[in-house]
Amino acid sequence: MDYVFSDKVSSLKPSVIREILKFTADPSVISLAAGNPAPETFPAKDIGDITAKIMKENPVAALQYSITEGYTPLRDTMKKRLAKDNCFNEETDELIITSGAQQANELSCKVLLNEGDTLICEAPTFIGSLNAFKSYHVALKGVEMDSDGMNLEKLEEALRTSKNPKLIYIIPNFQNPTGLCTSLEKRKAIYELAKKYGVMILEDNPYGDTRFAGEPIPSIKSMDTEGLVIYSGTFSKTLAPGIRVGFVSAPKPVISKIVVCKQVSDVHTNILAQMICDEYMNNYDMDAHLEEIRAINKRKCDIMLSAIDSSFSKKVTCTRPQGGLFVWATLPEGCDMLGFCTKAVEEYRVAVVPGTAFLINETDKTNSFRLNFTTPTDEQLVKGCEILGKLSRDMFD
Amino acid sequence: MDYVFSDKVSSLKPSVIREILKFTADPSVISLAAGNPAPETFPAKDIGDITAKIMKENPVAALQYSITEGYTPLRDTMKKRLAKDNCFNEETDELIITSGAQQANELSCKVLLNEGDTLICEAPTFIGSLNAFKSYHVALKGVEMDSDGMNLEKLEEALRTSKNPKLIYIIPNFQNPTGLCTSLEKRKAIYELAKKYGVMILEDNPYGDTRFAGEPIPSIKSMDTEGLVIYSGTFSKTLAPGIRVGFVSAPKPVISKIVVCKQVSDVHTNILAQMICDEYMNNYDMDAHLEEIRAINKRKCDIMLSAIDSSFSKKVTCTRPQGGLFVWATLPEGCDMLGFCTKAVEEYRVAVVPGTAFLINETDKTNSFRLNFTTPTDEQLVKGCEILGKLSRDMFD
């Protein structure tokens, strides 16, 4: 049988990250390539206790079919929590629980864009979202990042010149892969541009709660007076990613369509997982838990940055994140970034993700690569960065 | 803001079933409208024990990100189990764990069909699948059912005359909504037609393991020598639907594409749920558990059929299922089926699902409605059927 796949899917390839992660199955490889939160931040004991309680007191609710919108108590909990930050407006918004923020972002694209419409995003950006958008055969337009977020001139040019621009996708806090935050001024300006061009914004905020330095910046959602902003979040970086629980807060008509699309996608999100999140939010100390996560992540980020400072060639520059999971390193102009990353993993057994993985076209050029500081042990962070540092000095000094 | 949604989504409406289910939130309404398995079949105690064990012995694996293909031990378990029934061929097939069979069917459509290509299905068929297919803007062609499955002449006509037919969707065992089985002869004939026209088959088998009477019929997948059949299944009717675990066994190239699409949809299925399924399959007595489910379902189906036989107008006909969850009742020619269902729920407080819900166009005509025998209590089954029976005698005798 000669299989013919749909146009939208035939050009999709497994993520480069996942290919590199195959190297990391070898225990002799130090992986700085993951996108996983630190496993020591999982409240495993509490989740075990909660699960035992649910299975004892309310097993049928946890095991039977449920409604697509999500477990009502969790939705109420999240609405209240988001409303405090003006990320949920009781009068105009609705909220749905999704199977991770990945589903939130995928369905937002599905409900709003026809094949050929344009989705505008940061360049570089999260590969999982890029591939979700590509799987609906939409046109993607990347906008170069300054250190404080998307370049505004280039954003406006994209809005002005693209075919049917419908959605601006942005990760405003500790962006994946760069670790950068979009400044308050730029958030306001991006919102104004969306309003001017009648385009919606998908604000993806998986990392906002992990800020370990600096001051929180108001979300774009909190500025929204026109019903333009779809706001997605997740429990993946605050409780555990394996349970696959995320959410979307958005204007009611948008959520209605997302509900219909989620209904045909997976009916509803695993209900036990939703009950776990709700119980944790209400009967455990979520804020204290977040403080613990931040302390652990900060310590690990500091270890990575110190090791980079003391061992990398001075010609390599790095972002200095205030939260999230990633540092973005940039090699000197004109060098062979892919060669560096390949040599690092094949000869020196240290894996990082080449920056090309986060571009709309993997053949486009970047000198950067992504480093994760949450999954490795302290020792791996130090040793991995020392090895990369030595390689960088050998290649560039 | 005047929201403009994508063409593929703008015509999608929430399922009629869900609208009717809103009536059933009223505890005074007897609902024969659900599609849920009997909650007394859930092995709640065992699942509680298994969950406690996993959270004690292996919490990080249950809580961290995992691979898109699914939890490897569960995949191996399922491959072995399916291979016994010739539903998995180790040389040519691969298997992926999905978030319910709903996701399996949705992604099969996404990877194979372009907008405008034709998907051929039974008429009537499962509304969740219909809406999944519609959400990719494919053309749907329904083929009338005989009592032993799709009418073969009409199937061939559909294959011959449709625009780019790519996939035949079929629920061969205890079909939703009719409760009918496709005979062995028809399975063979459908497979031959698929081969003749170079079209693939999506064999959706959520109910196969629930057979409580008659002899099992070999799957179409087991006849597949050409790599034409995608076979999906689920733990929703054998363990519990709330955990959202299903699977697809299909030729390797097809699974590769489904993996990429699942990766961008929800990254992976809740990992704790996958571990629960694997532990149950390997360290508990799955076959004894299936016998229990069958006995419970048979008893409930018998109660419903007895009540129908003794109280319905003789002008109403019913299917007599040998498994699954549903009985399909057909009112006399020319009567007002929707009027009957509406009167039943509004005046007599008994909810059923009008057959129009299972048609490609809800404005098409049918005299049938769907009855579920697994979710109601014994008393509700008797009383609900007696009330419908009285209404049928009043209206048709």
Side-chain angles (χ1 to χ4, degrees):
Chain A
M1 179 74 184
D2 194 14
Y3 299 100
V4 181
F5 297 105
S6 66
D7 296 338
K8 54 189 172 292
V9 161
S10 52
S11 66
L12 277 183
K13 289 179 214 112
S15 139
V16 173
I17 298 183
R18 304 231 157 210
E19 295 306 309
I20 287 182
L21 289 184
K22 282 181 187 159
F23 264 104
T24 66
D26 177 348
S28 78
V29 169
I30 296 177
S31 174
L32 309 176
N36 297 3
E40 61 268 37
T41 64
F42 301 158
K45 168 77 170 61
D46 293 342
I47 292 178
D49 292 346
I50 291 170
T51 306
K53 186 178 168 221
I54 293 168
M55 290 311 300
K56 192 170 165 224
E57 295 176 2
N58 210 359
V60 170
L63 297 175
Q64 187 56 284
Y65 277 120
S66 186
I67 57 172
T68 304
E69 289 83 348
Y71 181 59
T72 307
L74 176 61
R75 291 173 66 214
D76 292 343
T77 300
M78 286 312 302
K79 286 176 185 178
K80 270 185 222 140
R81 197 171 172 97
L82 291 173
K84 277 188 205 159
D85 294 327
N86 298 309
C87 286
F88 179 80
N89 180 322
E90 204 173 329
E91 276 177 36
T92 55
D93 286 337
E94 214 8 293
L95 181 138
I96 179 176
I97 304 297
T98 54
S99 300
Q102 179 74 37
Q103 187 181 50
N105 299 331
E106 187 226 5
L107 294 184
S108 297
C109 176
K110 183 172 184 178
V111 304
L112 287 171
L113 282 85
N114 285 323
E115 296 194 1
D117 288 349
T118 301
L119 187 148
I120 297 171
C121 59
E122 295 157 325
T125 192
F126 173 46
I127 185 171
S129 295
L130 281 179
N131 281 336
F133 305 148
K134 285 180 183 176
S135 83
Y136 289 104
H137 227 208
V138 303
L140 292 173
K141 176 72 194 166
V143 175
E144 207 175 283
M145 299 271 282
D146 301 326
S147 65
D148 61 346
M150 279 196 275
N151 181 290
L152 293 176
E153 287 74 45
K154 295 205 165 140
L155 172 58
E156 181 149 22
E157 191 191 324
L159 285 163
R160 220 178 38 234
T161 60
S162 300
K163 185 186 161 203
N164 297 331
K166 290 279 175 67
L167 192 61
I168 301 170
Y169 172 70
I170 174 169
I171 307 171
N173 295 310
F174 324 115
Q175 199 238 17
N176 182 356
T178 62
L180 295 173
C181 281
T182 302
S183 66
L184 180 58
E185 295 63 39
K186 281 222 166 153
R187 292 180 194 211
K188 286 179 182 165
I190 290 166
Y191 180 73
E192 289 305 320
L193 283 172
K195 201 158 84 176
K196 179 173 168 188
Y197 288 91
V199 167
M200 294 193 72
I201 293 173
L202 173 54
E203 184 175 23
D204 181 14
N205 190 21
Y207 311 115
D209 279 333
T210 67
R211 177 181 284 280
F212 51 69
E215 289 301 311
I217 306 169
S219 66
I220 307 178
K221 177 76 180 158
S222 70
M223 306 165 187
D224 186 16
T225 52
E226 311 290 316
L228 294 182
V229 183
I230 301 170
Y231 179 90
S232 68
T234 178
F235 289 91
S236 291
K237 278 80 193 179
T238 54
L239 279 182
I243 60 174
R244 311 304 307 125
V245 183
F247 54 85
V248 193
S249 164
K252 288 176 183 178
V254 176
I255 294 291
S256 296
K257 288 293 177 191
I258 292 179
V259 169
V260 178
C261 281
K262 179 171 168 64
Q263 194 174 106
V264 305
S265 175
D266 62 4
V267 188
H268 63 76
T269 294
N270 179 293
I271 187 76
L272 175 60
Q274 297 187 62
M275 294 168 90
I276 290 169
C277 292
D278 189 56
E279 181 74 13
Y280 195 89
M281 303 275 287
N282 285 302
N283 296 323
Y284 289 74
D285 192 340
M286 186 69 174
D287 291 319
H289 172 60
L290 290 176
E291 282 306 325
E292 266 179 66
I293 293 177
R294 290 171 193 136
I296 290 170
N297 289 1
K298 178 177 192 314
R299 197 178 51 73
K300 289 186 142 184
C301 184
D302 287 347
I303 291 171
M304 174 171 272
L305 291 175
S306 297
I308 286 174
D309 290 345
S310 62
S311 60
F312 273 38
S313 160
K314 297 302 168 226
K315 293 180 185 149
V316 180
T317 59
C318 277
T319 56
R320 304 191 82 84
Q322 300 187 314
L325 277 61
F326 307 111
V327 168
W328 185 242
T330 303
L331 301 181
E333 199 65 40
C335 80
D336 177 11
M337 181 277 299
L338 268 179
F340 177 89
C341 296
T342 307
K343 201 163 181 175
V345 72
E346 289 184 356
E347 289 183 31
Y348 297 92
R349 320 301 287 163
V350 178
V352 299
V353 186
T356 40
F358 307 98
L359 299 177
I360 292 168
N361 301 306
E362 281 189 16
T363 50
D364 287 354
K365 200 140 176 56
T366 174
N367 287 323
S368 303
F369 59 90
R370 192 188 77 177
L371 297 153
N372 165 258
F373 55 80
T374 48
T375 323
T377 63
D378 296 1
E379 295 67 34
Q380 287 172 326
L381 285 171
V382 172
K383 199 172 162 202
C385 288
E386 280 175 359
I387 291 168
L388 293 175
K390 167 124 188 10
L391 182 60
S392 74
R393 295 196 309 275
D394 289 350
M395 283 177 78
F396 312 123
D397 287 351
Chain B
M1 178 75 184
D2 195 13
Y3 298 99
V4 180
F5 296 105
S6 66
D7 297 338
K8 54 189 171 292
V9 160
S10 52
S11 66
L12 277 183
K13 289 180 211 110
S15 137
V16 173
I17 297 182
R18 304 234 156 206
E19 295 305 308
I20 287 180
L21 289 183
K22 282 182 187 158
F23 264 104
T24 65
D26 176 348
S28 77
V29 169
I30 295 176
S31 174
L32 309 177
N36 297 1
E40 61 268 37
T41 64
F42 301 157
K45 168 76 170 61
D46 294 341
I47 292 178
D49 292 346
I50 291 170
T51 307
K53 186 178 168 221
I54 293 168
M55 290 311 300
K56 194 170 163 227
E57 294 176 2
N58 211 359
V60 170
L63 296 174
Q64 187 58 283
Y65 278 119
S66 186
I67 56 171
T68 303
E69 289 83 348
Y71 182 59
T72 307
L74 176 61
R75 289 172 67 214
D76 291 342
T77 300
M78 286 313 301
K79 286 176 186 178
K80 269 185 225 139
R81 198 171 171 96
L82 291 173
K84 276 188 208 161
D85 295 327
N86 298 310
C87 285
F88 178 79
N89 180 323
E90 206 174 327
E91 274 177 38
T92 56
D93 286 336
E94 214 7 294
L95 181 137
I96 179 177
I97 304 297
T98 55
S99 300
Q102 179 74 38
Q103 187 180 52
N105 298 330
E106 188 226 6
L107 294 184
S108 297
C109 176
K110 184 173 183 176
V111 303
L112 287 172
L113 281 84
N114 284 323
E115 297 195 1
D117 287 349
T118 301
L119 187 148
I120 296 171
C121 59
E122 294 157 327
T125 192
F126 174 46
I127 185 171
S129 295
L130 281 180
N131 282 335
F133 304 148
K134 284 180 182 176
S135 82
Y136 289 104
H137 227 208
V138 303
L140 291 173
K141 176 72 194 165
V143 175
E144 207 175 284
M145 298 273 282
D146 301 327
S147 64
D148 61 347
M150 279 196 274
N151 181 290
L152 294 177
E153 286 75 42
K154 296 207 166 141
L155 173 58
E156 181 148 23
E157 189 190 326
L159 286 164
R160 220 178 37 233
T161 61
S162 301
K163 185 184 160 204
N164 297 332
K166 289 280 176 66
L167 193 62
I168 301 170
Y169 173 70
I170 175 167
I171 308 172
N173 294 310
F174 325 117
Q175 198 238 18
N176 181 357
T178 62
L180 296 173
C181 281
T182 301
S183 66
L184 180 59
E185 293 65 36
K186 280 222 167 155
R187 293 181 193 210
K188 286 179 182 165
I190 291 166
Y191 180 73
E192 289 304 320
L193 283 172
K195 201 157 82 175
K196 178 173 170 188
Y197 287 91
V199 167
M200 295 193 70
I201 294 174
L202 173 54
E203 182 174 25
D204 181 14
N205 189 22
Y207 310 116
D209 278 334
T210 67
R211 175 180 287 278
F212 51 68
E215 288 303 311
I217 305 169
S219 65
I220 306 177
K221 178 76 179 157
S222 70
M223 306 165 188
D224 186 15
T225 51
E226 312 288 316
L228 294 181
V229 183
I230 301 170
Y231 179 90
S232 68
T234 178
F235 289 91
S236 290
K237 279 78 193 179
T238 54
L239 279 181
I243 60 173
R244 313 302 307 122
V245 183
F247 53 86
V248 193
S249 164
K252 288 175 182 179
V254 176
I255 294 291
S256 294
K257 288 294 178 190
I258 292 179
V259 169
V260 178
C261 281
K262 178 168 170 65
Q263 194 175 104
V264 305
S265 176
D266 62 4
V267 188
H268 63 77
T269 294
N270 179 294
I271 185 77
L272 175 59
Q274 296 187 64
M275 293 168 91
I276 291 170
C277 292
D278 188 56
E279 181 73 13
Y280 195 89
M281 303 274 287
N282 285 302
N283 296 321
Y284 289 73
D285 193 341
M286 186 70 176
D287 291 319
H289 172 61
L290 290 176
E291 282 306 326
E292 267 179 63
I293 293 177
R294 291 173 193 137
I296 290 170
N297 289 1
K298 178 177 194 314
R299 198 177 51 72
K300 288 184 141 185
C301 183
D302 287 347
I303 291 171
M304 173 171 272
L305 291 175
S306 297
I308 286 174
D309 288 345
S310 62
S311 59
F312 273 38
S313 160
K314 298 300 167 226
K315 292 180 185 150
V316 181
T317 58
C318 278
T319 55
R320 304 191 83 83
Q322 301 186 314
L325 279 62
F326 306 112
V327 168
W328 184 242
T330 302
L331 301 180
E333 199 65 41
C335 79
D336 177 11
M337 181 276 300
L338 267 179
F340 177 88
C341 296
T342 307
K343 201 164 182 175
V345 73
E346 288 184 358
E347 288 182 34
Y348 297 91
R349 320 302 284 164
V350 179
V352 298
V353 185
T356 41
F358 307 97
L359 299 178
I360 292 168
N361 301 304
E362 281 190 16
T363 50
D364 287 354
K365 201 137 176 60
T366 173
N367 286 324
S368 302
F369 60 90
R370 192 189 76 176
L371 298 152
N372 165 258
F373 55 79
T374 48
T375 322
T377 63
D378 296 1
E379 295 68 34
Q380 287 171 328
L381 285 171
V382 172
K383 199 171 161 201
C385 287
E386 280 175 0
I387 291 169
L388 293 176
K390 166 124 188 13
L391 182 60
S392 73
R393 295 194 310 276
D394 289 351
M395 282 177 78
F396 311 123
D397 287 350

